[in-house]
Amino acid sequence: MPLDLNKIKEALKELREKSKKRNFNQSIELIINLRDIDIRKPEERIQDTIELPNPIGKKVNVCVFATSDLALRARRSGADLVLERDEIEALMNDKKRQRQIAKEIDFFLAEAQLMPLIGRVFGAILGPRGKMPRPIPPTIDIEREIERCRRMVFVRTRGQPVLQCRVGTENMDDQAIAENIQAVLNLSLIHI
């Protein structure tokens, strides 16, 4: 049964009253302790990307692997990094730059035809981080996809039965944070 938005707002109000004021915009993270789940079993592990109804209040960097027209549209749409085929191939033996890109970028989109090349070049770097690109067709509305990525969070269980993700920042409206929390909880209930 999903949590009521009013109860979430009450908890946020209490959080704001009890938290110490800092000289920076603090993140608000949701931590969910899971019971009766054995994360040693692969079928009980959770690893998913959740699209939130509201942006999380911090910059989310998006990289698009694309060719020709799609690459041009991605640049115009505000992608933080656009890599075309020749640029991807140039990174083949530059592991340091690959790690730097993986660290700086939160989400990756890739034109479907480039996926085999991206797998060869970036697979060993992006795979373990859970950041492999999502394949997209060349005719997609790339601006809408980039904006969707900017509202996404990645959740997964690791060594303990706990899900943790950022749902906003302290300068956000309680309603927006509560809606983000409810979206994560609703998806978590589906997995459990």
Side-chain angles (χ1 to χ4, degrees):
M1 183 168 148
L3 219 56
D4 180 30
L5 270 179
N6 291 326
K7 288 183 181 181
I8 296 171
K9 284 187 205 175
E10 287 172 24
L12 286 168
K13 183 179 177 187
E14 183 180 338
L15 171 76
R16 290 183 192 278
E17 290 170 357
K18 291 183 178 181
S19 75
K20 184 178 175 183
K21 187 66 182 154
R22 307 275 185 205
N23 292 331
F24 59 92
N25 188 18
Q26 298 180 85
S27 294
I28 297 176
E29 298 224 351
L30 177 65
I31 300 171
I32 304 170
N33 291 314
L34 305 172
R35 286 189 272 168
D36 302 326
I37 290 189
D38 184 3
I39 58 167
R40 292 175 290 185
K41 296 179 182 175
E43 66 273 6
E44 291 191 16
R45 291 185 200 139
I46 298 172
Q47 181 170 327
D48 209 345
T49 305
I50 302 171
E51 182 179 350
L52 301 176
N54 303 291
I56 59 172
K58 296 232 177 182
K59 179 132 173 60
V60 175
N61 295 318
V62 180
C63 173
V64 180
F65 298 107
T67 58
S68 59
D69 180 53
L70 183 60
L72 181 64
R73 288 187 291 130
R75 283 187 183 93
R76 287 182 184 156
S77 298
D80 298 289
L81 180 64
V82 178
L83 295 174
E84 295 194 46
R85 179 181 296 276
D86 57 336
E87 296 167 307
I88 299 167
E89 290 170 348
L91 290 169
M92 180 78 77
N93 296 316
D94 191 351
K95 297 290 183 200
K96 183 178 178 183
R97 178 70 179 130
Q98 289 175 21
R99 282 191 293 276
Q100 182 183 10
I101 290 170
K103 184 178 179 182
E104 292 172 358
I105 302 295
D106 300 297
F107 288 98
F108 293 87
L109 299 171
E111 193 171 344
Q113 68 180 4
L114 293 175
M115 285 301 287
L117 175 62
I118 295 164
R120 282 193 310 275
V121 176
F122 282 95
I125 301 292
L126 298 179
R129 289 173 170 84
K131 291 186 173 185
M132 282 305 285
R134 185 163 45 91
I136 55 174
T139 56
I140 197 163
D141 179 355
I142 192 67
E143 185 174 359
R144 190 173 73 76
E145 286 304 306
I146 290 170
E147 287 310 310
R148 281 187 66 211
C149 286
R150 293 213 162 110
R151 290 192 321 267
M152 289 187 175
V153 291
F154 186 67
V155 295
R156 74 175 174 186
T157 52
R158 285 207 164 161
Q160 299 175 350
V162 173
L163 289 179
Q164 179 176 349
C165 68
R166 179 183 297 145
V167 290
T169 55
E170 68 181 342
N171 68 348
M172 287 176 62
D173 177 46
D174 282 352
Q175 178 72 26
I177 297 170
E179 289 171 0
N180 285 352
I181 290 171
Q182 193 172 45
V184 173
L185 292 174
N186 287 344
L187 188 75
S188 299
L189 290 173
I190 291 170
H191 285 290
I192 300 173

